[in-house]
Amino acid sequence: MFMNFLHSTYCNAAIFAGILFFFMGYFIRRYPPKSTQTWYGYRSFLSTQSPEMWHEANQDAAYISRRIGAILIPTGFACALFFEGQTDWFWYITVGSVIIGVMYMVGYTEWRLQQKMNRDEYDGADIPDKRR
């Protein structure tokens, strides 16, 4: 019974990772990590720079993670219905969509942190008035 499930198309990376992403995003949104010392949360060089950056990074990562999960789950079920077996293209699509989702989450979150860091630098800088 278990081996039949393992070899069926319903056992794919997109469904499992989609469920994981969705619940991870929900968990981080519902119980945000208080500091960088907690065991969970979005960790990167930029996100650990300050408590504000940590909070912003985890908000963005939780939001994007839920969205990725909501896309990966239907993608996995569509692949399970479309393909008759676990072919090479089946694995390329299901695993590739998970990799693209992870890259999008990290890239978007880091881009948002970079934008926040640049805004904060310009807010505190003495910018000369060029309207003279």
Side-chain angles (χ1 to χ4, degrees), residues 5 7-12 15 76 79-81 83-86 90:
F5 174 72
H7 294 291
S8 76
T9 56
Y10 287 98
C11 181
N12 67 53
I15 293 174
C79 286
L81 294 173
F83 288 96
E84 293 179 11
Q86 293 180 351
F90 171 81

Side-chain angles (χ1 to χ4, degrees), residues 62 92-93:
Y92 295 152
I93 293 171

